[in-house]
Every structure is written in C-alpha cells, then in structure tokens.
Amino acid sequence: MKQKVIVVGAGFAGIHLARNLDQDLFDVLLIDKLNHHQFQPLFYQVAAAQIEPSSISFPIRHIFKTQANVQIRMAEVLEINPNQKTITTDIGTFDFDILAIAIGCTTNFFGNSNIEKYALKLKSSSEAIAVRHRILETFEKLLSADESEKEALQNLVIVGAGPTGVELAGAFAEIKSNILSKDYHGADFSNFKITLIEGSPNTLNNMSDTAKKASRQYLQQMGIAIIPNTFVKDYNGTELFLNNDTIIKTKIVIWAAGVIGNTINGIPKHLITSGNRIKVDRYNQVLNLDGIYAIGDISYMESPLYPKGHPQVANVAINQAKLLSKNLKLKQNQKTLKTFEYHDLGSMATIGRNKAVVDFPFFHFKGYVAWLIWMFLHLMLILSVKNKIIIFVNWAWSYLTKDSSHRLIYKM
C-alpha cells in the first residue's frame, strides 16, 4: 500500500521532492498558497523590467501533469498536528504518513514595523512587480514634481549588499545609464542617485576577496554610492534614518538585508532555532518527530562541514529534496539511509552587463567569462525548455540593444 506524503511548499525543495518520489511507493499531496513555482534568483530582473514574471513562474499543475500520483491543493497550512499526523489548512484537514515542510523564508525586517510597512521587498513575483511599478512611477512623477519633492524621488536606496542587493543596484544603474535618456526626451536624470547600504565592511561579504573587491569596483564605476558598516535604524516612508545619524530623503527603499524562516504552528518551540529554522537530523527529519521532515531554507542541520547550519541557497534545497526522496524509498525497503552533507560547488553574482563574479572552491574570477557562466548556470536551473528559450532571447535582445520592452505599469 502506498504511503501518503504531504509536501508543504512549492519552492525548490518542495518541487524537487515531489518530482523525485517513487510513484509506485508514494501518493503525494503538494500544498502551496500559490498555484505556481517561482524562480527566486531572477526576481531582481523582473523588478528591473528585464524579463516578465511569467518567464520565471511555472504553474504547479503543469509541472506535474504526467505524475498521476501527485495531487495539488492551493491552500494555506494553519497548523501541524504531529501526534494525530494531520495538518489543518484553510480548506480542510488532511492526514499523512510522511510530512515534508518546505515553506522557505521571507524578508527579515528585524522587528522594525515601520521598515516593514514602508520598504519594498523582493521575495515573490508580485513583490518584484511592485518594485518595478514603484520605480517606473517615480520616473514619471519626477517629470512634474515640485523642487521640494524631487530630492526624495531622486534617491533610490537598497539596503543589503548581498547578491540580491548588488544585482538590483547594477540593474538599476544600467537603466539610468542606457534607458532613461531615450525614454524621457529632454528630461534630466543626472541627479537620480542609487545608494547601497551594507552593515558589513564589504559588498558580497560572504564571498571571496576577489568577489568583494571586484563587485565594489564595478558598482562604483557604475555610479552607485556604497555606504558600508552602516545600519538602518528607521524609515517613515520619506526619511531613512541611519545609525551614524545620517538621514536620507527617499521615497524608494528596497530591503534586501536578510531572511527569516516562514512560521508554521504545531512545531514545538524548542525545535525552532535562530532565524525561525527547524532543527533536523542528518536525514532531514525534525528532531524527535517521527515521519516529519523539514528541507530547504527552513531546515537547520548541523554537520561536520556546516556546524552552524547549511547556507540558505537553492542548491542545498534541491540536494536535500533529492536525497530525502531516495531515503524514503530506502526506508520503505528497510535499507540503510544516507546522511546529508552539502559540498559547496561555488557561488556567484552578476553586477551588470559583462560584469559578474564567480567563486569556485579553488578558483575565483570576475568579468565577462564569469558573466557568461552566471547566465549559463541560471538558465540550466530554469524548469522548462520553453522558459529557457524565452529568457535567453530576452537576454540576447537586451545585450544587443541595451534595452528591453517590459517597462509597463499596470493599474488596477
């Protein structure tokens, strides 16, 4: 008899687990609040009007159209009941033999409600579209704004100089350099300023020295102001207050300063660690909860190579999902399970046209070749061949013309 597996979350971890589970051994119920999987690494390109959200969004039902053992429900999970082995959702209660929690992360505002209220974030396609609209509307408002309003409209601030912040800053700098003068004839955008604020001493602080130095150099060459070793204290929608007593007038703040795990009721509090991550063993089973697993960004696993938990990146989520699918089959067949360990193959970030940095385990490099590698590897991660082609065509067109045709503002 097949076991009932419920997978909560259709991110990288949830999708790859459901795809790889043995169809002869498991019936799968995949639950997500959305009806589509989103390719998060390219949200910044949606925000910068380089690609459309449909290019990086994949209907879940289409992904599993050939897998009859996978059922899909668009719902929100309200609570897990470990003892009863049921989950409660806003459309009903479901029982399970095996539960996999893959609910991922959301933006971390570090408890500041004002920043959460007024700043823009970038953790979904809809939020990326909201960023795009705000930027494009700001360009329109600048054409007729009073002098007293212009300063706040002319300052775009990005908080957090990790890959997302750096990639956003580079993309908006290229819009300023290559597009604004063509779209807005006679308008002067020379005073439009892009500022990148970072709490650590460096951009891409978790990457190699080569990446840190190169990314900073690229950003400065593109005219981006970098403020390192600085934290944001507050934001009221017009003024951004920094811990060095500086006040920046700005109507646009994009918050890319960290993530925190999404919460789910029913997991004992002592199993929740910093960043809302769920403690798991080397097989991704939640500690002391039989048949309940956590994978991807939400899981916290200590291992010899990562005694403080694995990095919250797509490759970890995908590899955990694939191994869990194998282990569940091994367990069904009463065979020895395999422990998880992540072997980091590298990290990368792109700063703009022909500008990227790549860290491989024993080799770090930058520039045009790094940019080509970044594009190739991201294309390979896209789920469908159709979307790979669409994105490649968009990138090729943008490269040849230094332009894109996605600068649309949708009004509701």
Side-chain angles (χ1 to χ4, degrees), residues 70 83 213 284 300 314 345 399 404:
V70 178
N83 294 330
K213 293 176 184 177
N284 279 100
Y300 176 81
L345 298 179
Y399 186 80
S404 70

Side-chain angles (χ1 to χ4, degrees), residues 130-195:
V131 172
R132 177 195 294 189
H133 286 175
R134 178 72 71 84
I135 300 296
L136 294 175
E137 286 173 345
T138 296
F139 295 150
E140 298 294 335
K141 288 177 182 178
L142 275 168
L143 298 178
S144 56
D146 295 332
E147 288 301 319
S148 59
E149 299 177 293
K150 280 190 175 181
E151 183 179 358
L153 291 171
Q154 287 177 331
N155 283 326
L156 163 61
V157 178
I158 300 166
V159 183
T164 298
V166 164
E167 288 170 348
L168 272 173
F172 288 129
E174 290 190 330
I175 288 176
K176 177 185 176 181
S177 175
N178 300 326
I179 292 174
L180 292 186
S181 62
K182 299 174 184 176
D183 277 12
Y184 300 89
H185 302 149
D188 181 11
F189 286 95
S190 60
N191 291 324
F192 188 79
K193 185 178 181 181
I194 302 165
T195 301

Side-chain angles (χ1 to χ4, degrees), residues 18-184:
R19 290 178 80 177
N20 285 280
L21 282 169
D22 192 310
Q23 298 187 42
D24 295 326
L25 297 177
F26 304 102
D27 281 325
V28 182
L29 176 63
L30 177 58
I31 300 175
D32 196 279
K33 291 185 288 186
L34 303 175
N35 78 334
H36 56 278
H37 167 73
Q38 305 171 103
F39 189 75
Q40 293 190 23
L42 294 183
F43 281 160
Y44 87 93
Q45 292 203 354
V46 174
Q50 294 176 346
I51 58 176
E52 285 293 353
S54 59
S55 301
I56 58 167
S57 302
F58 307 88
I60 300 170
R61 294 188 181 280
H62 183 75
I63 294 171
F64 293 99
K65 65 181 181 179
T66 62
Q67 290 184 238
N69 69 314
V70 178
Q71 295 290 322
I72 295 149
R73 294 294 181 271
M74 187 175 167
E76 181 177 2
V77 175
L78 305 176
E79 187 175 17
I80 295 170
N81 311 294
N83 294 330
Q84 291 78 31
K85 287 207 166 184
T86 62
I87 63 166
T88 303
T89 75
D90 57 357
I91 62 170
T93 299
F94 302 91
D95 63 294
F96 62 83
D97 298 309
I98 297 165
L99 173 66
I101 303 167
I103 54 178
C105 289
T106 188
T107 304
N108 190 355
F109 294 100
F110 303 96
N112 192 309
S113 58
N114 285 336
I115 295 174
E116 184 173 0
K117 179 179 179 181
Y118 293 111
L120 297 164
K121 50 188 178 178
L122 199 67
K123 291 299 290 181
S124 69
S125 295
S126 59
E127 290 170 356
I129 294 170
V131 172
R132 177 195 294 189
H133 286 175
R134 178 72 71 84
I135 300 296
L136 294 175
E137 286 173 345
T138 296
F139 295 150
E140 298 294 335
K141 288 177 182 178
L142 275 168
L143 298 178
S144 56
D146 295 332
E147 288 301 319
S148 59
E149 299 177 293
K150 280 190 175 181
E151 183 179 358
L153 291 171
Q154 287 177 331
N155 283 326
L156 163 61
V157 178
I158 300 166
V159 183
T164 298
V166 164
E167 288 170 348
L168 272 173
F172 288 129
E174 290 190 330
I175 288 176
K176 177 185 176 181
S177 175
N178 300 326
I179 292 174
L180 292 186
S181 62
K182 299 174 184 176
D183 277 12
Y184 300 89

Side-chain angles (χ1 to χ4, degrees), residues 135-314:
I135 300 296
L136 294 175
E137 286 173 345
T138 296
F139 295 150
E140 298 294 335
K141 288 177 182 178
L142 275 168
L143 298 178
S144 56
D146 295 332
E147 288 301 319
S148 59
E149 299 177 293
K150 280 190 175 181
E151 183 179 358
L153 291 171
Q154 287 177 331
N155 283 326
L156 163 61
V157 178
I158 300 166
V159 183
T164 298
V166 164
E167 288 170 348
L168 272 173
F172 288 129
E174 290 190 330
I175 288 176
K176 177 185 176 181
S177 175
N178 300 326
I179 292 174
L180 292 186
S181 62
K182 299 174 184 176
D183 277 12
Y184 300 89
H185 302 149
D188 181 11
F189 286 95
S190 60
N191 291 324
F192 188 79
K193 185 178 181 181
I194 302 165
T195 301
L196 185 59
I197 299 174
E198 169 58 30
S200 74
N202 307 291
T203 55
L204 301 180
N205 197 57
N206 292 326
M207 294 183 67
S208 68
D209 288 340
T210 298
K212 293 173 189 175
K213 293 176 184 177
S215 60
R216 184 168 189 145
Q217 182 181 20
Y218 287 145
L219 291 166
Q220 290 174 332
Q221 288 173 351
M222 298 170 82
I224 295 161
I226 301 170
I227 305 178
N229 295 310
T230 304
F231 296 92
V232 174
K233 290 169 55 179
D234 208 354
Y235 180 50
N236 61 15
T238 303
E239 295 172 310
L240 190 71
F241 301 88
L242 308 183
N243 67 335
N244 60 8
D245 296 328
T246 300
I247 300 174
I248 300 175
K249 289 187 177 181
T250 175
K251 287 281 191 179
I252 314 171
V253 174
I254 304 174
W255 193 262
V259 296
I260 190 168
N262 288 307
T263 57
I264 192 164
N265 293 327
I267 299 295
K269 290 184 179 179
H270 69 276
L271 297 178
I272 308 295
T273 187
S274 60
N276 283 349
R277 299 173 81 177
I278 301 171
K279 296 178 182 179
V280 300
D281 62 19
R282 296 291 302 282
Y283 309 101
N284 279 100
Q285 180 169 295
V286 179
L287 298 183
N288 304 317
L289 293 183
D290 184 51
I292 299 179
Y293 300 83
I295 53 177
D297 290 352
I298 197 65
S299 68
Y300 176 81
M301 178 194 296
E302 295 179 354
S303 69
L305 293 182
Y306 294 92
K308 296 183 180 179
H310 292 86
Q312 292 166 292
V313 296

